[in-house]
């Protein structure tokens, strides 16, 4: 046990050291080299709304320009002359009464940053900064999304090579279900999916080699998503790989008991969660030391708003906030044009219920399938627990948090596939 703990700690330290080192190295690129493309980006964002709909008017197609200009603003304020300090003391100029789009433009013209944002690592700067040597924000989005497509294709290719065709199909269906093509709309949306699909092939290839490989990968996953993500769909980096692992084991008749599956889920979830939290603790601790002020205070204050803040201008009680957060994410998944579109939710749930009724009519009595069903149900509930815990955040930002339901779709597909007796269905 002590040896395993040591291995996981060593993995965590190594990941943080490499990522932070890469952030510092990227910070050595002089601002003068990227100013031209950043200015082009700032001018382009100045003509856009902070949250911009496409012609469909659906919430699942919103471009989060607000978050993107903040990220670019933070990147500009990471100085090559003090890479260690400025990679920790992350801040930006908010544009005051004129908004963040104007703030980015003014930052490039010498405005002094006035807003602290040390609660995140902003690790995507590692890749955005060097890319800004050659292209603007739109080009970075295109390159990043293309790279994501390559990672998705690699994951599917590994599954097909191992003859896990259903897992590959379920993954494709789930990606279409969350409108993955809209991930290209914002820099903010892409990192979590890159982390997820960079690690999925490793989970697939190493799952037979013992739980320690999966828990170690979960440590890597937790650290990477905390480092790169802007609090979007962090749960996909652990739930999607685990769902695929359980489907693979069901395919090969070695799934095991529900108790065993839960134990693996708990171990991986614990390693992911501790790694996730400690990555933030490292940032806040290091930032507190170099800045000479307690950065934990601002981080906890922001966390409190995400947990308990009001989701509208009205003082909505918590018992209304929680169902509103879940409803908003379901509405966006089902193509709603309002934050909460009751008709879209109703139609989506009715269709899902009809599919489940068909499942009950043609239920295949198999012990393993029952174990998989219960396992998948547990996985599918977790994204909604996230919406409950971070109800303020999940309601206000449902236009990207809804994509965490990719796990739900994968699990839903698996429950149907492994429980319907298609031979009985054909005879009927």
């Amino acid at each position: 046990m002590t040896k395993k703990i040591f291995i996981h700690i060593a993995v965590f330290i190594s990941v943080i050291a490499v990522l932070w080192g890469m952030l510092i190295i990227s910070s050595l690129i002089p601002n003068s080299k990227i100013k031209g493309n950043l200015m082009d980006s700032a001018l382009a964002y100045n003509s856009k709304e902070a949250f911009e709909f496409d012609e469909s008017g659906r919430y699942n197609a919103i471009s989060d320009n607000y978050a993107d200009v903040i990220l670019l603003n933070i990147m500009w304020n990471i100085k090559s002359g003090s890479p260690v300090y400025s990679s920790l003391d992350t801040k930006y100029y908010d544009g005051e009464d004129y908004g963040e789009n104007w703030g980015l433009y003014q930052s490039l013209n010498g405005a002094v940053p006035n807003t602290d944002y040390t609660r995140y690592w902003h690790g995507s700067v590692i890749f955005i900064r060097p890319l800004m040597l050659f292209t603007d924000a739109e080009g970075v989005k295109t390159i990043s999304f293309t790279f994501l497509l390559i990672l998705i294709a690699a994951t599917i290719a590994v599954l097909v090579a191992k003859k896990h065709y259903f897992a590959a199909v379920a993954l494709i269906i789930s990606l279409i279900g969350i409108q993955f093509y809209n991930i290209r709309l914002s820099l903010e949306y892409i990192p979590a999916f890159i982390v997820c699909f960079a690690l999925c092939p490793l989970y697939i290839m190493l799952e037979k080699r013992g739980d320690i490989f999966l828990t170690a990968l979960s440590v890597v996953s937790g650290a990477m998503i905390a480092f790169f993500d802007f609090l979007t769909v962090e749960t996909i980096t652990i739930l999607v790989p685990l769902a695929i692992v359980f489907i693979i084991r069901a395919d090969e008749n070695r799934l095991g008991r529900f108790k065993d599956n839960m134990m693996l889920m708990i171990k991986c979830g614990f390693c992911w969660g501790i790694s996730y939290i400690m990555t933030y603790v490292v940032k806040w601790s290091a930032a507190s030391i170099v800045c000479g002020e307690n950065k934990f205070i601002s981080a906890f204050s922001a966390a409190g708003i995400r947990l308990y803040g009001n989701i509208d201008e009205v003082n909505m009680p918590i018992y209304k906030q929680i169902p509103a957060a879940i409803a908003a994410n379901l509405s966006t998944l089902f193509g709603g044009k309002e934050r909460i579109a009751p008709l879209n939710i109703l139609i989506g749930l009715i269709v899902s219920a009809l599919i489940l009724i068909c499942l009950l009519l043609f239920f295949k009595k198999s012990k393993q399938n029952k174990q998989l069903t219960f396992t998948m149900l547990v996985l599918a509930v977790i994204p909604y627990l996230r919406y409950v815990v971070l109800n303020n955040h999940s309601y206000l930002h449902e236009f990207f948090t809804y994509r965490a339901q990719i796990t739900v779709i994968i699990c839903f597909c698996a429950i149907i596939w492994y429980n319907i007796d298609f031979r009985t269905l054909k005879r009927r």
Side-chain angles (χ1 to χ4, degrees):
M1 182 62 72
T2 304
K3 182 180 179 182
K4 289 182 179 179
I5 293 173
F6 176 79
I7 290 172
H8 288 80
I9 293 174
V11 168
F12 174 76
I13 293 173
S14 300
V15 172
I16 294 299
V18 169
L19 293 177
W20 191 2
M22 291 174 66
L23 182 58
I24 292 171
I25 291 170
S26 71
S27 302
L28 294 173
I29 298 173
N31 277 359
S32 59
K33 299 291 185 181
I34 62 173
K35 185 173 182 179
N37 283 320
L38 258 178
M39 182 61 76
D40 290 342
S41 303
L43 292 173
Y45 280 116
N46 268 339
S47 64
K48 299 177 180 180
E49 296 293 329
F51 303 98
E52 196 167 62
F53 289 86
D54 72 356
E55 61 278 1
S56 72
R58 293 189 176 93
Y59 267 70
N60 58 36
I62 290 179
S63 300
D64 192 351
N65 301 319
Y66 174 83
D68 285 359
V69 296
I70 289 177
L71 177 59
L72 295 177
N73 204 328
I74 288 167
M75 182 179 71
W76 174 254
N77 285 290
I78 297 177
K79 308 296 185 182
S80 58
S82 55
V84 176
Y85 180 89
S86 58
S87 70
L88 293 170
D89 185 26
T90 41
K91 51 193 176 183
Y92 68 98
Y93 176 64
D94 66 2
E96 300 177 72
D97 294 337
Y98 298 98
E100 276 68 17
N101 288 3
W102 177 248
L104 173 59
Y105 179 79
Q106 287 297 94
S107 272
L108 295 171
N109 287 289
V112 177
N114 62 354
T115 305
D116 178 271
Y117 222 152
T118 53
R119 65 179 180 270
Y120 295 116
W121 274 99
H122 311 289
S124 56
V125 167
I126 290 173
F127 304 106
I128 296 174
R129 196 175 185 91
L131 287 174
M132 278 284 173
L133 292 169
F134 312 102
T135 187
D136 60 7
E138 284 302 316
V140 174
K141 291 178 194 176
T142 300
I143 293 169
S144 301
F145 186 68
T146 301
F147 182 57
L148 172 60
L149 291 178
I150 292 170
L151 292 176
I152 291 172
T155 301
I156 293 170
V158 171
L159 288 169
V160 171
K162 290 180 170 290
K163 299 182 179 180
H164 296 298
Y165 304 117
F166 166 72
V169 171
L171 190 56
I172 293 171
I173 291 173
S174 65
L175 284 165
I176 294 171
I178 60 159
Q179 301 84 34
F180 81 100
Y181 37 83
N182 286 334
I183 295 169
R184 76 192 190 285
L185 296 175
S186 292
L187 294 169
E188 175 196 24
Y189 300 161
I190 302 174
F193 284 88
I194 286 180
V195 172
C196 176
F197 286 100
L199 293 174
C200 274
L202 296 176
Y203 274 90
I204 295 166
M205 292 185 287
L206 296 176
E207 62 90 17
K208 284 185 179 179
R209 300 189 63 179
D211 288 357
I212 189 170
F213 285 91
L214 297 182
T215 53
L217 280 174
S218 300
V219 170
V220 175
S221 177
M224 288 182 67
I225 192 60
F227 194 86
F228 287 108
D229 191 39
F230 228 19
L231 194 61
T232 58
V233 286
E234 65 289 338
T235 58
I236 70 170
T237 59
I238 183 66
L239 298 183
V240 170
L242 284 179
I244 292 173
V245 165
F246 289 131
I247 289 172
I248 289 172
R249 292 183 175 182
D251 267 349
E252 298 180 354
N253 295 314
R254 53 184 180 83
L255 181 63
R257 299 172 300 170
F258 173 68
K259 179 181 177 182
D260 299 326
N261 301 334
M262 283 300 298
M263 186 56 63
L264 175 61
M265 201 184 304
I266 290 170
K267 287 192 293 186
C268 289
F270 178 80
C271 289
W272 182 91
I274 291 296
S275 180
Y276 183 82
I277 292 169
M278 289 306 300
T279 302
Y280 283 111
V281 170
V282 170
K283 170 68 189 288
W284 302 335
S285 300
S288 297
I289 292 170
V290 303
C291 298
E293 64 177 285
N294 190 342
K295 295 296 183 180
F296 284 82
I297 296 174
S298 59
F300 287 150
S301 175
I305 293 173
R306 298 312 183 199
L307 289 167
Y308 307 114
N310 293 325
I311 60 177
D312 268 327
E313 287 75 16
V314 297
N315 187 18
M316 185 180 288
I318 191 70
Y319 70 85
K320 289 185 178 180
Q321 284 188 186
I322 290 174
I326 295 173
N329 282 271
L330 286 171
S331 175
T332 306
L333 179 68
F334 296 134
K337 293 185 178 182
E338 302 170 20
R339 176 159 270 132
I340 297 179
L343 183 60
N344 290 75
I345 297 173
L346 182 62
I347 293 173
L349 293 178
I350 287 174
V351 171
S352 301
L354 289 174
I355 293 173
L356 286 175
I357 289 170
C358 291
L359 167 66
L360 293 174
L361 290 175
F362 304 105
F363 192 78
K364 188 165 48 178
K365 296 184 182 300
S366 164
K367 188 174 182 180
Q368 173 167 278
N369 293 342
K370 201 175 289 186
Q371 305 301 324
L372 180 69
T373 298
F374 293 144
T375 302
M376 289 296 167
L377 285 173
V378 173
L379 282 175
V381 166
I382 295 174
Y384 298 110
L385 292 179
R386 191 270 195 200
Y387 297 151
V388 168
V389 174
L390 296 176
N391 52 81
N392 169 276
H393 181 271
S394 300
Y395 177 85
L396 293 176
H397 302 292
E398 90 292 352
F399 50 88
F400 59 73
T401 61
Y402 88 94
R403 294 189 180 100
Q405 293 170 102
I406 184 175
T407 304
V408 181
I409 299 173
I410 293 173
C411 293
F412 193 71
C413 289
I415 291 170
I416 294 170
W417 181 258
Y418 288 101
N419 282 290
I420 291 182
D421 188 341
F422 290 97
R423 290 173 299 180
T424 302
L425 182 60
K426 186 177 180 180
R427 286 196 299 269
R428 293 192 180 187

